[in-house]
Amino acid sequence: MARRPLPRILSNGSTQLARSRELAKAAADSATDVLHPLITITRGLRRLASAGRRRWAGTPKDRRGALLFLIASVVLVVALAPYGPLLAVITLMAAAAWQGRDRAPSVPEGPDASQAQRLKSLYEALVPYFSAAEDPEPLYAHGGDWGKAFSEYEFDGAGRVTHLVIAYPAYFTDGEPESRARIEHLLGAKSGRGREYHFSWDEEGNQLTVRVLEPLPTDIAAQPFVTAPGETVLGFTDPIRVQRTLPLTHGAHGEEQRDVPPVVWRTGIRSTEPHLLAVGQPGSGTSTLLRSVALQALHHGDVVIVDGGGTGEYACLTGRDGVLAVECGLTGALTSLEWAAHETERRLIAANRAHQAGDPPPEDTRRPLWLLLDRPSAFAHLAAADGREDPQSLLQVPLRHGRPANVTVVVAEQFDGLESLGEPVRQHTRARVVLGPATAEQLEAVLGAPPHTTPVDQVPPGRGYARLGAGPVHRLQVPATPDPYDDATSEAHRQAVLDLLPPRTTPADEEPERLDPEPAEPEAVSAVSVRLDKVTTEKVPVGAVAAEAPAEQAAADTAAARPAPEEAAVAETSS
């Protein structure tokens, strides 16, 4: 049986529809061209009428009568003058045509001569990396067409590239970090130094997107952040990979508000990165980061601070509620960290006994404990000269078992003392921060992955990169949290930090408003030891464990009864 052909309307219906759409579009374009003067005059009359209504609404009521008389006089003069109405209509049409003209600025179809020369220079610089001798139709060749390689481009007022989409051949090894680094370094140098560029590689589409990043805000001071318990704001970043924002106040008096994407570090029992390591150059802002973390941690936990620099950066926290100790000497550091190790064991044993009995963990094991260490490598040579153990060796228990015991360790160190950090610190601090100027090699060595931006040489304090575990590398700007006792601190920043400090709990007759450090130890020229006599019925003191039984007996005693205030006082110890 022979097949009958389809009806003509079904066989070529799509062609007719396409042709009809083209005819309709051509007719609409022709009508627009013909009626363009009428459209312009109509738009102008509408704008003139709107301007007249606004002028009438803005005229006071007591002057509207005089305005009406003036308009009537003008109309009467025009009507009585020879050819007056005709001239009035011509004048009105001319004014309407002028007001109804297209005021949109003309956009150039392509780059100007200087911009085209810059794009050509970039194209020629990429030829040795994106070309091969055996390619029959090379996308990149000397003297080739850069328009085929650069599909999108934008420039700033100075004529420098701010956005560029580059197509590269499929045989380029974009999966190798070394190949990527060469291209990123070349583009950063040719597009203009001193700016940070974000590189986004699309391996499937063989495209590289280069974008100039705006500088991160540096006018955000310390303030209460809207976070949940267990969340700590390390700083602020770009909205490229962070979907969350925080409402913040900024300005000289905090009168302006805006939403900024933060870098939030989650700690606690369910945290995958329970400990943090911050590295930077001198003056890069690592101490500022530790002060910011301490102020946030004091809202829900207790803090022990060990200052290896001995410069009094944390004197403002001495004697505050929740601050168990601020140690600047070797003896105090050893005592505090030894107590922290025993406290971690006690919490583990108490929580384990509660789990075995089917009870919730005790309240004193659920309150977070923070150990903040600034430059702990400074105690290494002092301990070796005096024949004592390195304080870093006492961090092994809090680092290894701190997560189930709600103990968090934060270590800040400079690049010159990075090699002195112990293996437990390197192994268990999976949340990393690098502040200040650093090379790409240093960033990759600390963070474990290269950043997607080009580092610059000149950065403000508190500016760097952060990586939480195996996540992406984020640009970071730490909120301004300076030492309020420093004379170089501005009044606005000083007051912002003082407003966040908890009240003092040490009696006035035992501790002055500004603590005077004790005499320096023989082995340390600038190291001092500041011990606190904390009196509390809810927190385990720093020195109480030294006089108690082993951790198992301490857990049983703690569950039976709380220590008396005089027994809970911190005792001064010496080796």
Side-chain angles (χ1 to χ4, degrees):
M1 182 176 179
R3 297 181 58 185
R4 299 180 60 183
L6 293 174
R8 185 175 181 181
I9 190 174
L10 297 179
S11 61
N12 56 359
S14 59
T15 305
Q16 291 182 353
L17 290 176
R19 188 178 302 172
S20 300
R21 284 195 297 266
E22 292 178 359
L23 291 176
K25 184 178 179 181
D29 294 340
S30 300
T32 303
D33 295 339
V34 173
L35 299 177
H36 181 71
L38 181 60
I39 295 174
T40 302
I41 293 176
T42 305
R43 187 189 305 122
L45 291 174
R46 187 171 62 253
R47 291 176 180 176
L48 289 175
S50 300
R53 285 196 300 269
R54 289 194 301 268
R55 179 65 181 274
W56 177 260
T59 303
K61 293 184 178 180
D62 56 346
R63 297 182 181 179
R64 290 182 179 180
L67 181 60
L68 287 175
F69 179 76
L70 178 62
I71 295 174
S73 301
V74 172
V75 171
L76 180 62
V77 170
V78 170
L80 296 178
Y83 304 103
L86 179 60
L87 294 176
V89 172
I90 294 175
T91 303
L92 180 61
M93 293 298 103
W98 176 258
Q99 290 293 331
R101 72 188 188 279
D102 190 5
R103 301 180 182 182
S106 59
V107 179
E109 297 181 357
D112 55 19
S114 61
Q115 296 173 354
Q117 181 62 32
R118 186 179 291 272
L119 293 176
K120 184 178 180 181
S121 300
L122 284 174
Y123 176 83
E124 294 290 340
L126 293 173
V127 169
Y129 302 94
F130 288 157
S131 62
E134 57 274 12
D135 190 354
E137 296 181 358
L139 181 61
Y140 288 83
H142 292 289
D145 184 13
W146 56 264
K148 298 180 180 179
F150 303 153
S151 57
E152 299 179 12
Y153 44 82
E154 294 179 6
F155 297 87
D156 57 6
R160 297 191 299 178
V161 177
T162 59
H163 178 72
L164 186 63
V165 178
I166 303 173
Y168 57 88
Y171 52 77
F172 176 73
T173 56
D174 52 1
E176 299 179 1
E178 296 80 7
S179 301
R180 290 189 177 191
R182 286 194 297 268
I183 300 300
E184 294 174 359
H185 177 74
L186 174 65
L187 292 174
K190 292 294 184 180
S191 300
R193 299 183 183 272
R195 301 185 299 174
E196 290 187 89
Y197 298 89
H198 180 267
F199 300 95
S200 177
W201 292 83
D202 182 10
E203 292 87 350
E204 296 181 359
N206 297 324
Q207 283 188 344
L208 169 61
T209 303
V210 184
R211 182 183 299 106
V212 177
L213 297 176
E214 295 293 334
L216 293 177
T218 58
D219 57 346
I220 300 176
Q223 56 190 279
F225 300 121
V226 183
T227 56
E231 294 183 344
T232 303
V233 177
L234 299 179
F236 306 96
T237 184
D238 304 294
I240 298 178
R241 296 189 177 183
V242 178
Q243 303 298 328
R244 177 180 178 180
T245 59
L246 289 181
L248 303 176
T249 59
H250 64 98
H253 304 284
E255 67 280 358
E256 301 180 8
Q257 294 186 357
R258 60 181 170 181
D259 294 340
V260 182
V263 177
V264 178
W265 173 39
R266 293 176 175 84
T267 59
I269 297 179
R270 294 176 177 84
S271 174
T272 57
E273 300 85 21
H275 309 296
L276 174 71
L277 172 62
V279 185
Q281 301 288 352
S284 59
T286 54
S287 299
T288 298
L289 176 61
L290 258 64
R291 271 191 299 270
S292 177
V293 171
L295 293 177
Q296 298 178 63
L298 289 174
H299 288 288
H300 307 284
D302 302 325
V303 175
V304 174
I305 301 175
V306 176
D307 184 11
T311 57
E313 291 280 345
Y314 308 94
C316 61
L317 296 171
T318 303
R320 302 287 178 175
D321 186 19
V323 181
L324 302 183
V326 179
E327 301 295 347
C328 302
L330 177 60
T331 301
L334 289 172
T335 304
S336 299
L337 295 182
E338 184 179 0
W339 172 85
H342 287 295
E343 173 66 9
T344 304
E345 295 174 352
R346 185 197 68 81
R347 291 186 175 208
L348 289 175
I349 294 173
N352 186 29
R353 289 178 177 176
H355 293 332
Q356 292 180 357
D359 299 329
E363 187 66 26
D364 57 352
T365 64
R366 288 188 284 180
R367 183 173 176 84
L369 174 62
W370 292 72
L371 306 179
L372 308 181
L373 294 90
D374 193 353
R375 296 190 63 191
S377 62
F379 294 119
H381 70 282
L382 296 178
D386 201 25
R388 305 184 189 182
E389 61 178 336
D390 189 352
Q392 295 186 55
S393 61
L394 300 174
L395 292 175
Q396 184 171 1
V397 174
L399 286 171
R400 185 180 297 273
H401 305 287
R403 186 174 66 87
N406 273 324
V407 178
T408 303
V409 180
V410 181
V411 179
E413 189 54 76
Q414 297 180 2
F415 276 107
D416 53 3
L418 192 58
E419 298 295 334
S420 302
L421 293 179
E423 185 61 28
V425 177
R426 294 172 175 272
Q427 182 179 359
H428 295 285
T429 53
R430 299 185 67 249
R432 301 292 181 90
V433 173
V434 178
L435 299 179
T439 62
E441 292 77 12
Q442 290 176 330
L443 292 174
E444 187 173 1
V446 177
L447 301 177
H452 293 279
T453 61
T454 54
V456 294
D457 298 333
Q458 302 294 332
V459 293
R463 172 70 176 81
Y465 296 90
R467 189 188 186 203
L468 305 179
V473 180
H474 300 282
R475 286 204 309 166
L476 180 71
Q477 178 63 50
V478 178
T481 316
D483 181 11
Y485 296 162
D486 189 359
D487 296 336
T489 303
S490 64
E491 185 61 30
H493 288 170
R494 178 185 291 108
Q495 191 61 40
V497 176
L498 292 177
D499 292 342
L500 296 177
L501 290 174
R504 290 188 181 273
T505 55
T506 303
D509 56 349
E510 297 183 10
E511 179 184 89
E513 183 65 19
R514 295 285 295 272
L515 289 179
D516 296 330
E518 296 181 1
E521 296 180 356
E523 65 272 16
V525 178
S526 61
V528 295
S529 176
V530 180
R531 302 293 296 165
L532 303 181
D533 294 335
K534 300 291 292 181
V535 179
T536 178
T537 60
E538 296 182 1
K539 305 164 188 174
V540 180
V542 175
V545 179
E548 292 179 358
E552 295 83 354
Q553 186 65 26
D557 296 340
T558 304
R562 294 288 185 183
E566 51 271 10
E567 296 176 357
V570 177
E572 183 71 22
T573 61
S574 60
S575 299

